Amino acid sequence: MSKVVILSGSPSTQSRLYGLINYTTEQLQQAGAETTLLNVADLPAEDLVKANFNSPAVTEALALIAAADAIIVASPVYKAAYSGLLKIFLDLVPQEGLRGKPVLPLFIGGTLAHLLVIDYALKPVLNALGGRHILGGVYALDQWVERLPDEAYGLSEELVARLDRSVKELNGLLK
């Protein structure tokens, strides 16, 4: 069974980003993958900021990344880049920490003007961490994700189709 870690750089669990995360998680689990959601916001802030590698929470989070067969990197877009929360965690990942792992970016933003954030902001960092098989990823607009009652989300048909293609590609690499 493949192990996939979904790394969320959202500071809020109320973000529409979780519409993408939840859908992708369901699709991966239906295909037989074991998924683990790693919310960076749940890690101790002081340990992240001070790069406390002796922190049990940081050690455990980095062990999840090391043990994963694939990583999904998810973030909202702020100021034309991924979240600072995600960056502060990625700074703790060892230099070759993503070597041999397919990486699927999932991003959400308010405008198409930030469409290239994956290519120009995220991919160079992932490459520096040894990531060599970085999938094209999915960039979604906020308006494509509707908040529903009971912490559920409705996704536009276009977004579902794009997520399905990306998950299918990731599953193909994991087999």
Side-chain angles (χ1 to χ4, degrees):
M1 177 180 291
S2 299
K3 293 180 182 180
V4 180
V5 171
I6 299 116
L7 177 62
S8 173
S10 178
S12 169
T13 57
Q14 303 303 310
S15 172
R16 286 182 173 89
L17 176 65
Y18 284 90
L20 282 71
I21 290 171
N22 295 347
Y23 182 83
T24 302
T25 298
E26 290 172 15
Q27 298 306 305
L28 287 166
Q29 289 173 346
Q30 286 176 12
E34 177 185 322
T35 62
T36 303
L37 177 60
L38 174 54
N39 285 309
V40 179
D42 292 340
L43 298 174
E46 186 172 354
D47 290 344
L48 289 171
V49 172
K50 292 185 176 181
N52 181 1
F53 289 97
N54 294 319
S55 161
V58 169
T59 301
E60 184 179 330
L62 293 174
L64 285 172
I65 298 295
D69 297 307
I71 308 290
I72 293 176
V73 178
S75 179
V77 175
Y78 300 119
K79 309 291 186 217
Y82 51 89
S83 73
L85 186 61
L86 178 59
K87 175 64 167 126
I88 205 167
F89 180 78
L90 290 175
D91 286 345
L92 301 177
V93 174
Q95 191 68 31
E96 296 291 315
L98 299 180
R99 173 111 17 232
K101 302 175 191 301
V103 180
L104 172 61
L106 297 180
F107 275 54
I108 193 164
T111 174
L112 282 176
H114 301 303
L115 178 65
L116 295 176
V117 67
I118 294 171
D119 290 326
Y120 291 108
L122 182 68
K123 283 186 178 180
V125 174
L126 298 177
N127 193 279
L129 295 173
R132 296 298 181 263
H133 200 106
I134 305 165
L135 284 72
V138 175
Y139 179 87
L141 291 175
D142 287 334
Q143 65 199 29
W144 295 351
V145 181
E146 178 186 4
R147 283 193 186 100
L148 302 173
D150 300 325
E151 298 183 18
Y153 297 91
L155 307 180
S156 72
E157 287 182 35
E158 177 181 351
L159 180 54
V160 166
R162 294 174 68 211
L163 288 169
D164 285 346
R165 278 192 305 271
S166 292
V167 170
K168 182 178 179 183
E169 182 180 7
L170 181 60
N171 280 327
L173 292 170
L174 291 171
K175 293 191 175 177

